[in-house]
Amino acid sequence: MRNVKLTVAYDGTNYHGFQEQRGTGLATIQEVMEHCLGRLVGRRVQVIGAGRTDAGVHAHGQVVNFNAAGWPIPVERIPLAINGLLPADVIVTDAREVGEDFHARRSARTKTYLYSIWNNRVPSPFNRLYSSFQPVPLDDGAMSTACVHLMGTHDFKCFQAAGATVKTTVRTLYRVEVIREGSLVRFIFKGDGFLYNMVRIMTGTLLQVGMGKTDPESIKSVLESRRRALAGPTMPPHGLCLEYVEY
Amino acid sequence: MRNVKLTVAYDGTNYHGFQEQRGTGLATIQEVMEHCLGRLVGRRVQVIGAGRTDAGVHAHGQVVNFNAAGWPIPVERIPLAINGLLPADVIVTDAREVGEDFHARRSARTKTYLYSIWNNRVPSPFNRLYSSFQPVPLDDGAMSTACVHLMGTHDFKCFQAAGATVKTTVRTLYRVEVIREGSLVRFIFKGDGFLYNMVRIMTGTLLQVGMGKTDPESIKSVLESRRRALAGPTMPPHGLCLEYVEY
C-alpha cells in the first residue's frame, strides 16, 4: 500500500455532499474524486474523507486518503495531474505520502469549521453562495460572550439534529470565536469532533443572542438542558465550510 | 418625470452583459431590471446604465437611472421592493431621487474598474468565477512601476480592441494601482472613460510585466506606438468588475 493524503477545496453548491450515494445518480465529491483518481491510477480507487460534509456545504481543507499503489507518479505532481481532470469547483491543493495507518477520518485530532453570515440590509450577489444572509444588525460583543460558554468539554446533545444516534454526545471545543470583516461575520469552531448539524445549530443559537432574542448567559442553561428544542434553528448548509483538519 | 438613480451589484456569470439584446433570447442585466421594475411601476420602464459591461463581467457599483413617474413608493423603500423580485445574483444596493437632467452614462465623471487575478500554483474553487487564474508568481513591484506610466492623460489606442471606432482614443486615468491580498491580486483603474476592452488589455499587459516577459518601462513605448499588437492579451471577462461610478 502507498497511502497518499490529499487536501481538497471545493465549492459544494452543485454537489449532494461529500459521501458517495450509490445508485441515486446524484453527484458527490467522493464520487467525482474517485472517478478522476481512478482514471489516473488505472484501477478503481476508494477515498476516505475526514468529514462527511452535507449537500451544499463547502470545504477549504477537506482531507482524504487513498491507496496509490502501483501509480509511479511523484507525490508532489499529484495535484497538477488530478486538477487537470477534476471540475473547476473541486481542487486538490496539497498531496503528501503518509504512513500505512493514516486514516483521514479516524486519525483526525481536530476539525475547524467556519460559518459565514452576510450581515447587511441588502444581500450580496458575490457572497450569496458562501454565506447566509441576515439583515438584522448583530451585537458582536454579546455573541463573543456566548462563544466563551461553548468552549471546553460539554455534553452538546442540545446542538445535535433530532433523531441522530451516537455513542456519546460529549465533545470538546478548543476555539469558538466570532470575527467580523465588514459585512461578513464569521463563526469559527475548532473541536475534537462535531455532532450531526452541531455547527449549524450552534450558529443559529449564537445568532439569536446577536439579535437580542436571548442573552449570552442563556447558552449555559441550553447546554445543561440537553434539549434540542431550547437551542436555536439549524442554519442553511451553504454558509458552512470545513476549514481545516488537524492530525 | 421622477428621475431615480439606482446602484446595482451583480454577479455577471449567468448574463450576456448589461445591455439589452432584443430578440436574441439571451438574459441581460438591463432586461432583468426593466422587467422587474416594470412589474412594480405598472408600465414599461426603460433603464439607462452607466457602463455597458460585457458578458460575464461583474459589478459592485453599476449605476442606472429610470423614470419612476406615477409610482408613489418612497425612494428609500425601492431597494427592498425591487430586490424581492430580482434574481439573487442582481441586487439593488441604493436608490435616490436625482434631478431631471441626471443621465447614468452621460453624467458620469469617473468610473473605477477592478480586475482580479488568483495568483497561486493551484486554482481556487471560490474565486474561480470572480478572478482569472495565474499560477506564475508575479513581481508586484515591477507591475506597480508599470502602473505609474499608465496614469495621466494619454492616447490609449494600443489598449483598444481592434476594430472599435470612437471619436478620440485619448483618456485620463486618475488611479492605476495593484494591490495584493494573499493570493488575490487586484488591479484598480479609475478614469474619466475607458475604450472597449481597455481594462482587460491593460491588465494583460501589466501581467506580462509581472511575469518578467517585458520590463516596466516598455509600457511607455507601447502607449506611444498606438499599436494594439504591441500591448498584451485581452484578459477574460470574469475577472473584471465595475466597482464605482462617480458623478
Side-chain angles (χ1 to χ4, degrees):
Chain A
M1 173 172 182
R2 182 191 178 208
N3 200 3
V4 170
K5 173 196 177 206
L6 303 178
T7 306
V8 194
Y10 50 84
D11 175 341
T13 306
N14 298 319
Y15 295 91
H16 293 266
F18 179 83
Q19 200 171 16
E20 180 180 18
Q21 303 197 348
R22 233 173 270 207
T24 61
L26 299 173
T28 69
I29 303 295
Q30 185 182 355
E31 283 164 291
V32 163
M33 294 210 64
E34 289 182 349
H35 173 76
C36 295
L37 283 169
R39 281 180 60 190
L40 286 172
V41 181
R43 57 169 171 75
R44 184 165 150 60
V45 166
Q46 198 178 3
V47 304
I48 295 159
R52 294 175 185 140
T53 56
D54 278 333
V57 173
H58 315 290
H60 266 116
Q62 171 75 283
V63 172
V64 308
N65 71 295
F66 73 103
N67 183 359
W71 190 29
I73 185 174
V75 72
E76 66 274 14
R77 300 276 290 280
I78 291 179
L80 202 64
I82 177 82
N83 288 336
L85 290 181
L86 284 169
D89 49 8
V90 183
I91 303 286
V92 170
T93 60
D94 188 67
R96 51 195 65 197
E97 208 161 331
V98 284
E100 281 211 9
D101 55 348
F102 177 90
H103 185 284
R105 190 172 70 252
R106 280 188 236 128
S107 307
R109 289 201 302 123
T110 71
K111 280 181 205 155
T112 302
Y113 282 95
L114 238 70
Y115 198 98
S116 301
I117 301 284
W118 181 254
N119 187 32
N120 191 297
R121 70 194 163 78
V122 287
S124 161
F126 303 103
N127 288 288
R128 73 189 196 282
L129 304 175
Y130 313 114
S131 63
S132 182
F133 173 50
Q134 180 48 260
V136 175
L138 298 172
D139 181 340
D140 297 0
M143 294 192 293
S144 291
T145 302
C147 284
V148 175
H149 299 312
L150 293 173
M151 277 198 278
T153 303
H154 303 284
D155 185 340
F156 286 97
K157 191 172 166 57
C158 65
F159 296 120
Q160 177 180 248
T165 51
V166 282
K167 272 181 234 164
T168 168
T169 48
V170 173
R171 297 288 185 276
T172 299
L173 295 187
Y174 303 107
R175 185 181 174 200
V176 184
E177 207 175 338
V178 52
I179 290 175
R180 181 180 288 271
E181 303 162 8
S183 297
L184 213 52
V185 178
R186 297 197 191 274
F187 295 88
I188 303 162
F189 302 92
K190 178 182 176 181
D192 63 353
F194 292 87
L195 304 169
Y196 190 57
N197 278 356
M198 180 167 153
V199 174
R200 290 161 58 185
I201 301 171
M202 285 193 295
T203 302
T205 309
L206 289 169
L207 279 180
Q208 293 199 315
V209 172
M211 291 188 278
K213 291 184 182 174
T214 52
D215 72 283
E217 302 307 316
S218 68
I219 295 280
K220 285 191 274 191
S221 54
V222 173
L223 267 174
E224 278 161 23
S225 76
R226 304 178 71 242
R227 289 175 55 197
R228 172 70 189 88
L230 296 190
T234 307
M235 296 298 291
H238 66 278
L240 184 60
C241 184
L242 172 53
E243 194 63 17
Y244 186 68
V245 187
E246 188 184 34
Y247 292 92
Chain B
M1 173 173 183
R2 183 192 178 208
N3 202 2
V4 170
K5 173 196 177 205
L6 304 178
T7 307
V8 194
Y10 49 82
D11 175 341
T13 306
N14 298 318
Y15 296 91
H16 293 266
F18 178 82
Q19 199 171 17
E20 181 181 17
Q21 303 198 349
R22 234 174 269 207
T24 60
L26 299 173
T28 69
I29 303 295
Q30 186 182 355
E31 283 164 291
V32 164
M33 295 211 64
E34 290 182 348
H35 173 75
C36 295
L37 283 169
R39 281 179 61 188
L40 287 172
V41 181
R43 57 170 170 75
R44 184 167 151 59
V45 165
Q46 198 178 4
V47 305
I48 294 159
R52 294 176 184 137
T53 55
D54 278 333
V57 174
H58 315 290
H60 266 118
Q62 171 74 283
V63 172
V64 308
N65 71 295
F66 75 103
N67 183 359
W71 190 30
I73 184 173
V75 71
E76 65 274 13
R77 301 274 291 279
I78 291 179
L80 202 63
I82 179 82
N83 288 336
L85 290 181
L86 284 169
D89 49 8
V90 183
I91 303 286
V92 171
T93 60
D94 187 68
R96 51 194 65 198
E97 210 162 328
V98 285
E100 281 210 8
D101 56 347
F102 178 90
H103 185 284
R105 191 172 69 252
R106 280 188 235 126
S107 307
R109 289 200 301 121
T110 70
K111 281 181 204 151
T112 302
Y113 283 94
L114 238 71
Y115 198 99
S116 301
I117 301 284
W118 181 255
N119 187 32
N120 191 299
R121 71 194 162 79
V122 287
S124 160
F126 303 102
N127 288 288
R128 75 189 196 283
L129 304 175
Y130 313 115
S131 63
S132 182
F133 172 52
Q134 180 49 260
V136 175
L138 297 172
D139 181 340
D140 298 0
M143 294 192 294
S144 291
T145 302
C147 285
V148 176
H149 300 311
L150 292 173
M151 276 199 277
T153 303
H154 303 283
D155 184 340
F156 286 98
K157 192 172 165 58
C158 65
F159 297 121
Q160 177 180 248
T165 52
V166 281
K167 273 181 232 163
T168 167
T169 47
V170 173
R171 296 288 185 276
T172 300
L173 295 187
Y174 303 108
R175 186 182 174 200
V176 184
E177 208 175 337
V178 52
I179 290 174
R180 180 180 287 271
E181 303 161 9
S183 297
L184 212 52
V185 178
R186 296 198 191 273
F187 294 88
I188 302 163
F189 303 93
K190 178 183 178 181
D192 63 354
F194 292 87
L195 304 170
Y196 189 58
N197 278 355
M198 181 168 152
V199 174
R200 291 161 58 185
I201 300 171
M202 284 193 296
T203 303
T205 309
L206 289 170
L207 280 179
Q208 294 200 314
V209 172
M211 290 188 279
K213 290 184 182 177
T214 52
D215 72 285
E217 303 305 316
S218 69
I219 295 280
K220 286 191 273 190
S221 54
V222 174
L223 268 173
E224 280 162 23
S225 77
R226 305 176 72 242
R227 289 175 55 197
R228 171 69 190 88
L230 296 191
T234 307
M235 297 296 292
H238 66 278
L240 185 59
C241 185
L242 172 53
E243 194 63 17
Y244 185 68
V245 187
E246 187 184 34
Y247 292 94

